[in-house]
């Protein structure tokens, strides 16, 4: 059993929390660094990714992310605190995060920063914790020209089509050719309440999907 610096053995729950936190940190480091082989190891074989611009299997997510990386698409992540609910071999982890995307917005080089949470469905299989589903929660975002002197005028009608929590992120992603999902969960509302219910069902041994 692992031991703390003072020599006392850590309990199983602490060990699980450390393993899950390490997995969440590795997701960001390996994905943003383009370390695709190690990035695959944080997922279970049936892992599923939900994002504004992509919804599908972990394998497909890795493939299209790599393709975007090679085309110069710049999306980076930064993590904050994590809260983990454990129930035997299952867990729900919520981690504060930011998504930062750099790109051209109507002819102006910009950074779009979105703040939210990763809401992760995890399971321990054969002694290894892995991601079964990652569903981000999008809380608020903004867009800023890289050159402070640049003038940015957004298409108000297009911007209004997207939810407040990620409308600027959706705007830039639409402009570069992605089809953006319109009903992702935000800080409040029916979508995030449904996600919380789904997480509770998962911890109680229920199925991932309805």
């Amino acid at each position: 059993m692992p031991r703390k610096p003072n020599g006392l053995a850590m309990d199983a729950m602490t060990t699980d929390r450390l393993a899950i936190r390490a997995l969440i940190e590795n997701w960001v480091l390996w994905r943003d660094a383009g370390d695709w082989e190690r990035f695959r190891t944080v997922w279970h074989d049936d892992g599923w990714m939900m994002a504004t611009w992509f919804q599908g299997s972990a394998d497909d997510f890795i493939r299209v992310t790599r393709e975007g990386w090679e085309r110069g698409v710049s999306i980076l992540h930064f993590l904050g605190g994590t809260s983990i609910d454990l129930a035997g071999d299952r867990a729900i982890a919520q981690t504060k995060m930011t998504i930062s995307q750099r790109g051209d917005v109507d002819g102006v080089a910009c950074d779009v920063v979105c703040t939210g949470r990763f809401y992760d469905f995890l399971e321990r299989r054969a002694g290894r914790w892995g991601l079964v589903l990652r569903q981000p929660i999008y809380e608020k975002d903004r867009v800023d020209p890289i050159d402070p002197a640049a003038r940015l005028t957004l298409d108000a009608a297009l911007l209004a089509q997207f939810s407040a929590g990620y409308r600027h992120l959706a705007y830039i992603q639409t402009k570069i050719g992605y089809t953006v999902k319109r009903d992702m969960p935000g800080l409040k509302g029916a979508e995030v309440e449904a996600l919380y219910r789904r997480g509770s069902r998962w911890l109680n041994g229920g199925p991932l999907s309805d």
Side-chain angles (χ1 to χ4, degrees), residues 5-197:
N6 62 8
L8 297 176
M10 291 189 292
D11 60 45
M13 185 172 291
T14 299
T15 302
D16 288 337
R17 291 182 188 279
L18 289 173
I20 291 169
R21 177 65 191 194
L23 181 155
I24 292 166
E25 292 177 350
N26 287 338
W27 191 102
V28 164
L29 267 295
W30 292 340
R31 183 260 176 233
D32 287 1
D35 193 344
W36 310 116
E37 290 186 8
R38 288 206 288 179
F39 183 51
R40 183 62 184 87
T41 66
V42 305
W43 302 88
H44 283 308
D45 289 343
D46 57 348
W48 200 260
M49 178 68 195
M50 298 291 291
T52 52
W53 61 277
F54 173 88
Q55 304 86 46
S57 71
D59 286 332
D60 284 342
F61 176 64
I62 294 167
R63 175 182 56 81
V64 298
T65 301
R66 186 170 188 169
E67 290 171 354
W69 166 282
E70 292 170 353
R71 293 197 310 272
V73 175
S74 175
I75 303 176
L76 301 174
H77 304 80
F78 192 82
L79 297 180
T82 296
S83 175
I84 300 169
D85 293 313
L86 286 165
D89 289 331
R90 289 187 172 188
I92 292 289
Q94 297 188 61
T95 307
K96 291 294 296 183
M97 58 81 178
T98 61
I99 302 167
S100 177
Q101 181 162 355
R102 173 165 290 188
D104 184 272
V105 181
D106 297 334
V108 179
C110 292
D111 281 330
V112 178
V113 177
C114 182
T115 300
R117 282 169 282 159
F118 285 135
Y119 192 96
D120 293 328
F121 294 70
L122 301 113
E123 191 166 32
R124 179 171 48 201
R125 301 175 185 172
R128 181 181 75 87
W129 284 100
L131 274 167
V132 180
L133 169 65
R134 166 157 283 185
Q135 170 62 75
I137 298 170
Y138 301 88
E139 297 176 345
K140 69 173 185 177
D141 73 342
R142 60 181 291 163
V143 57
D144 297 289
I146 296 172
D147 178 359
R151 181 177 178 82
L152 178 63
T153 303
L154 301 180
D155 180 339
L158 176 60
L159 193 66
Q161 293 179 24
F162 305 112
S163 299
Y166 59 100
R167 61 175 36 138
H168 298 94
L169 187 63
Y171 189 97
I172 187 175
Q173 290 174 346
T174 299
K175 287 287 186 174
I176 63 176
Y178 290 115
T179 299
V180 174
K181 188 171 172 57
R182 305 297 181 94
D183 60 349
M184 299 296 268
L187 182 60
K188 300 177 182 179
E191 291 83 5
V192 75
E193 293 299 329
L195 179 62
Y196 294 152
R197 291 193 296 270

